[in-house]
Amino acid sequence: MIEVQHLTKRYGPFTAVNDVSFKVERGEILGFLGPNGAGKTTTMRVLTGYMPPTDGKAIVAGYDVLDEPIEAKRRTGYLPETPPLYPDMTVRDYLSFVAKIKGVPRGERRTRIEQSMEKTRIADMANRHCGKLSKGYKQRVGLAQAILHNPDVLILDEPTAGLDPKQIIQTRELIKELAGDHTIILSTHILPEVSQTCQRVVIINKGRVVAVDTPDNLTARVRGSETMYVQVDTGGADGATALSGVAGVTRVAVADTHGAATGFEVESERGRDIRRELAAAVVGHGWGLLELRPMRMSLEDVFLQLTMQEADQPAAAKESAHD
């Protein structure tokens, strides 16, 4: 549904986006993740036809955004970081105005407006002026205008920026409800946004893609091994040595102690499930097995590790003020 091929965008001597490639499948929510200034907004602006790429291609719903910009835009809904609202218009008047601009047929406009307000839960604000809305409602109105013409693709740039915790939860739920009917790219630097909303992640840093995968696969790939947390009451015996002798175990380290109980981090060969063997070893020694669970790196750990690795490598240039 969306295909980005070797996309590059330069501003004079500065390279904001450098040879970026990725795909988004129909109905998928893709998280476009990176620190501030990484190139996210510039990529979103190229995808929406707001600015042309220097090199490479961006294809939306089968249309090249440079060669067939009108057709690509007809199939795209865009929510920029600051919703494009007119403060002196009521919500209903604003959506009616947007419907005309987007070419929604006259006979369908009232129905489309009502449906978009219902989906984004802003019907109770239909007659309020946009300038009088809270930040959360402004974001919802911005989302309503993005889905008004029922686009194939939704591009959301920092959709929860500046919202309070309750508004963030509501916006996340709304985005998840829209998936399936729409293919969504969600650009953000907020890690929980990606882990709780997106099926796949593109991590970009200094204008370059450093990883593309699911959050779980990124975690496994960066860690490079499987790690279990095992808490055992050994009665004072040497639990580390016993656990080290289990087939497939590559490393055992003490994680914590709580009275007579000791917690161990047990690493094993990648892709090997050793839970049964660990449990059998503990029970075989007559010890009490208090806890046994997999340990996973958080997306924050993955993100920091990948972007810190990039920090030591030369990059074309930082994102300019355009991002």
Side-chain angles (χ1 to χ4, degrees):
M1 184 55 68
I2 301 172
E3 187 171 356
V4 176
Q5 302 173 355
H6 306 290
L7 191 70
T8 297
K9 179 64 181 178
R10 300 186 185 94
Y11 300 105
F14 297 103
T15 302
V17 177
N18 186 8
D19 196 30
V20 166
S21 298
F22 62 87
K23 291 182 180 181
V24 192
E25 302 299 333
R26 183 180 297 274
E28 184 179 26
I29 305 179
L30 179 84
F32 200 60
L33 177 64
N36 289 326
K40 301 186 304 297
T41 294
T42 295
T43 304
M44 300 297 100
R45 288 175 177 174
V46 171
L47 282 173
T48 55
Y50 181 82
M51 60 175 61
T54 305
D55 292 303
K57 280 189 174 185
I59 299 170
V60 174
Y63 295 94
D64 189 303
V65 299
L66 190 59
D67 295 338
E68 302 170 284
I70 301 302
E71 292 301 324
K73 288 175 182 177
R74 281 176 178 159
R75 290 158 177 80
T76 303
Y78 180 39
L79 175 61
E81 185 172 354
T82 301
L85 309 183
Y86 291 95
D88 294 333
M89 283 185 172
T90 66
V91 170
R92 190 184 299 278
D93 287 344
Y94 168 71
L95 292 177
S96 178
F97 170 67
V98 171
K100 293 175 186 175
I101 291 176
K102 294 190 173 185
V104 176
R106 183 185 296 272
E108 298 178 19
R109 286 175 193 166
R110 181 183 296 274
T111 300
R112 291 280 187 90
I113 290 168
E114 295 300 327
Q115 287 175 342
S116 66
M117 288 197 297
E118 182 180 347
K119 280 187 176 181
T120 55
R121 302 181 185 91
I122 57 171
D124 56 335
M125 297 289 166
N127 298 315
R128 183 169 295 191
H129 286 86
C130 293
K132 301 289 186 182
L133 298 174
S134 68
K135 173 71 172 174
Y137 270 107
K138 286 179 180 176
Q139 289 292 94
R140 291 191 195 186
V141 175
L143 197 52
Q145 66 79 27
I147 67 174
L148 192 57
H149 58 304
N150 194 29
D152 295 318
V153 171
L154 283 176
I155 296 177
L156 312 178
D157 193 0
E158 303 282 0
T160 62
L163 302 186
D164 64 38
K166 182 178 179 181
Q167 292 169 336
I168 288 172
I169 292 170
Q170 291 170 339
T171 303
R172 284 176 186 161
E173 291 302 315
L174 177 57
I175 290 169
K176 284 190 278 190
E177 289 172 11
L178 292 172
D181 294 331
H182 309 274
T183 301
I184 301 174
I185 292 185
L186 189 158
S187 170
T188 184
H189 67 282
I190 303 171
L191 294 163
E193 204 72 63
V194 174
S195 58
Q196 297 183 34
T197 310
C198 304
Q199 292 132 341
R200 278 196 313 130
V201 183
V202 173
I203 297 180
I204 185 172
N205 189 42
K206 296 181 180 178
R208 297 191 296 124
V209 170
V210 296
V212 182
D213 215 328
T214 65
D216 285 346
N217 286 348
L218 282 173
T219 297
R221 201 172 90 196
V222 171
R223 183 178 287 281
S225 62
E226 306 292 339
T227 305
M228 304 295 299
Y229 176 80
V230 186
Q231 190 179 62
V232 183
D233 182 354
T234 64
D238 183 3
T241 299
L243 295 176
S244 297
V246 173
V249 170
T250 57
R251 176 179 170 272
V252 176
V254 175
D256 52 56
T257 56
H258 300 280
T262 303
F264 299 96
E265 289 185 9
V266 182
E267 291 186 5
S268 62
E269 298 166 1
R270 188 168 174 177
R272 182 162 181 172
D273 186 350
I274 59 169
R275 287 175 293 179
R276 290 183 179 84
E277 290 84 349
L278 289 174
V282 172
V283 173
H285 282 81
W287 301 331
L289 179 59
L290 306 179
E291 188 173 354
L292 174 60
R293 58 176 169 81
M295 294 181 68
R296 296 190 180 275
M297 295 177 73
S298 68
L299 188 57
E300 182 174 1
D301 296 329
V302 173
F303 176 76
L304 289 173
Q305 185 164 335
L306 288 170
T307 54
M308 285 176 69
Q309 286 172 355
E310 288 291 306
D312 296 329
Q313 299 174 11
K318 292 183 178 179
E319 180 86 353
S320 72
H322 294 274
D323 188 25

